Amino acid sequence: MSAGLHVAHESAKAQVQGAVRYVDDIPELQGTLHAAPVMSRVAHGRVRGLDFSAALALPGVRGIVTAQDIPGDPILGAFAHDEPIFASELVQHVGNVMALIVAADVMTARRAARLVKADIEELPAILSTQEALEKNHFVLPPVHVRRGDADTALQAAPHRLNGSFSVGGQEHFYLEGQVAYAQPQEMGQWLIHSSTQHPGEVQHWVAHALKLNLNDVRVETRRMGGGFGGKETQAGHLAVWSALAALKFGAPVKLRLDRDDDFMITGKRHPFDYDYEVGFDETGLLSGLKVSMRVNCGFSADLSGPVADRAIFHLDNAYFLQDVSISSYRCKTHTQSHTAFRGFGGPQGMMVIETIMGDIARHLKRDPLAVRMRNLYDGASELIGVRSELISPTSSNTTKLNEINSALTPINSPNRANKAKRNTTHYGMPVEDNILHALLSKLEHSAQYIRRRDAINTWNSAQTHFKRGISITPVKFGISFTATLFNQAGALVHVYTDGSVQINHGGTEMGQGLHTKIAQIVAHELGIPYELIRATASDTSKIPNASATAASAGTDLNGRAAQFAARSVRDKLAAFVSGLDGCGAGAVSFKDGQVISPSQSRPWQEVVGLAYANRIQLWSDGFYATPKIHYDKKTLSGRPFYYFAYGAACTEVIIDTRAGESRILKVDILHDVGRSINPTIDIGQIEGAFVQGMGWLTTEQLVWNDKGHLSTHAPSTYKIPATGCIPEHFKVDLWPEANREDNIFGSKAVGEPPFMLAISVWEAYRDAISSAGGDTSRLNAPCTAENVLRCLSSFE
């Protein structure tokens, strides 16, 4: 039985040996040319002309590609239809691609591209969301979601707070940069090797630009060296550009961006600016909330609409919002077009409510965990044992313990049944599987939160220059594409006469272990060793119309489709064996490489050989569509998610109040992955997601200057976490309960939800700053040394 076991990543050994191929490793066909982008150095301007003469004079240069070389639509095939393939008339950010240089080798192409002289009439650039809002400069119309009467609730609230803050974007920093290799085929057909999370969209974009039918374009992706959302749409740009160059020159063309150009051309995680007003009672229970989110979308829509929508969906995080008003402004600025990134707006939505919870706790001088637990959605069966576990003999701080304990009293009260349930989101979806009461209680106990908070308070009172902070924050993350139509998947399972099995599905492998998990699922379904399974490259000629590998739904969708395909083969074999042995097909089982009937057991390979000799079909397809989900985009209401994934993290930090420098000391995580298909991979995903989220909120700062130029466009100025940033105490435990929905093997998605666990880092920083007498209202993310110092009274 392969599912649920610690199985190594299917290509781990080969990757360590340097034996796997990424797009740039594919042996180049004879005559392959290389392209490089000609980029704008102006954030906003009208293109009056491009002088290619110096570039064309460089030895090895074969020519140029411009908008005049596009046979199809000059606008990219994105849903908003608002982004030109080449910025031939108007540039809208520094790095906007205006044309291509094509040369015999990559370095010549890049050198030549920098020799092109652009005559651009500079226009005023909008670089802030505040200016965009004032000028009604949006990529999409604003969206407003309301429930109840927030204004009346705020007026009646015993306590009120308001605040404003910002959270920055984030560079994807995938190890393998953006790359595509376009190869013309016979009879006007095309093969595109693309490092993409969505081969189907690359196929659509290339066909759209070349004015072809989709069946003329085949896109293949064996693996990516990381994606994180940055290759969901924006890999399509490179595929279109390389295909246009290959069409013009009648030769294969590869386009691979260097790291600096990748920074300058591609979008990032969306930066957000927030304004909020909140009302609450003396226990910290929210009574009214108004939030305005200004989303920095960059110059085009890309995926900003659904990203901003998901931020709205996740603004509640784990908390019931009775009277709430949310406004989301999708601001157009003259920067790169921001795009999908792990969490897809969820982290930005959760940041504001978790910040509010921390502010309420400090205002009331209550423990932040008590305030959070006071506002949780209702739980049901999870409440059994919660109070007894909280009342722990190891918890020494009685006052804090009583605060947290009393936060649950209204939930556990016998009179609770007579009150309205607090279990429906502000977009109308019932929360039916909430385990956070028990999960938070267990983490509080295992991380010794109350004892540590007491010790930190004692330590801080004795320190002058160093202060520590601690925080526990929860996560409730919805799983499914919010666009319902994308929640479908297909797969193929081929059994060969030697008993080996090949699987193909619509998902893509970007290091997250999707192929490994699906191989485990198929092995389990067929009752054969995992080693007999081989996953093959994602390919639009095998699985058509596949959705992006995104929304954390890769295993949920493709795994179930592969299971159905394998089950179809298994059922055919069971029927065949039942005929041989005179029993019902239901009496035939598949286990440990044996096919077992009531009368005898045969090796898997023997049964496959017999079935082939008797002309039994040894392959099948499978298809899956997520049940229960529905969603009205006009009202942003319905059930957009099949289920929620839950988790919580306890983080402890230390700051130097003189320099603003800091360190994360301890991290304890308890995360819900359902019944894990592969615990090794799941724990790796949790660790990686947390560290990536930690980087977003601590060191990864994107800085655009007043001319719209991204100043942090290389590893020298943009700092992702290094190994030395990882705390020595970094503990991850898995919640031991299966998914309550009928998901593949009772598992839950794990790609994105753990990212939001890192919000505990943000709140721990704010706790430390508050302990130092600082003003947390002045803190913007990330918590760089400069931003931390700005909050301290000594920094003026």
Side-chain angles (χ1 to χ4, degrees), residues 125 134 187 219 301 424 476 526 749 770:
E134 292 169 357
M187 299 171 62
V219 179
T424 305
K476 174 184 69 67
L526 298 177
S770 178

Side-chain angles (χ1 to χ4, degrees), residues 544-702:
N545 314 315
S547 299
T549 304
S552 299
T555 301
D556 289 6
L557 294 172
N558 298 286
R560 186 66 98 180
Q563 182 188 44
F564 288 167
R567 184 171 297 170
S568 177
V569 173
R570 189 193 66 189
D571 289 347
K572 290 180 176 66
L573 291 174
F576 169 65
V577 171
S578 70
L580 294 177
D581 294 352
C583 63
V588 179
S589 62
F590 296 72
K591 186 177 181 181
D592 297 331
Q594 298 289 312
V595 181
I596 306 163
S597 75
S599 61
Q600 63 176 298
S601 176
R602 299 178 179 88
W604 161 259
Q605 287 88 345
E606 179 184 330
V607 171
V608 168
L610 287 170
Y612 173 74
N614 283 273
R615 298 184 295 177
I616 303 299
Q617 182 178 328
L618 292 175
W619 62 271
S620 188
D621 63 317
F623 179 80
Y624 176 68
T626 308
K628 295 188 176 183
I629 54 176
H630 57 89
Y631 163 55
D632 184 340
K633 183 167 175 56
K634 291 182 180 178
T635 61
L636 259 71
S637 63
R639 179 176 177 159
F641 308 119
Y642 186 31
Y643 62 86
F644 294 104
Y646 298 93
C650 179
T651 297
E652 182 179 337
V653 305
I654 186 170
I655 63 171
D656 181 341
T657 61
R658 298 163 299 179
E661 294 189 358
S662 60
R663 188 168 186 82
I664 297 170
L665 300 176
K666 293 184 178 180
V667 174
D668 292 89
I669 291 171
L670 180 56
H671 195 70
D672 166 35
V673 299
R675 184 183 295 119
S676 177
I677 294 172
N678 188 318
T680 298
I681 285 177
D682 287 347
I683 290 172
Q685 284 291 292
I686 293 166
E687 291 171 341
F690 183 90
V691 171
Q692 193 172 48
M694 180 182 82
W696 173 50
L697 295 173
T698 57
T699 61
E700 297 185 44
Q701 186 172 33
L702 293 164

Side-chain angles (χ1 to χ4, degrees), residues 190 276 647:
W190 289 82
Y276 68 86

Side-chain angles (χ1 to χ4, degrees), residues 117-196:
K117 296 178 181 178
D119 181 9
I120 299 174
E121 176 191 353
E122 198 162 350
L123 301 173
I126 294 175
L127 300 174
S128 73
T129 60
Q130 184 60 43
E131 184 179 1
L133 181 64
E134 292 169 357
K135 295 181 177 179
N136 290 318
H137 204 240
F138 305 124
V139 297
L140 294 166
V143 171
H144 305 279
V145 173
R146 297 182 178 88
R147 177 166 70 176
D149 187 342
D151 287 320
T152 300
L154 284 167
Q155 291 171 7
H159 300 273
R160 292 168 68 174
L161 287 173
N162 60 69
S164 301
F165 72 102
S166 302
V167 60
Q170 186 177 23
E171 166 63 32
H172 299 87
F173 220 106
Y174 21 64
L175 289 179
E176 176 203 29
Q178 297 278 8
V179 58
Y181 186 18
Q183 299 176 355
Q185 306 291 292
E186 66 177 12
M187 299 171 62
Q189 297 176 78
W190 289 82
L191 171 59
I192 310 292
H193 293 282
S194 175
S195 182
T196 177

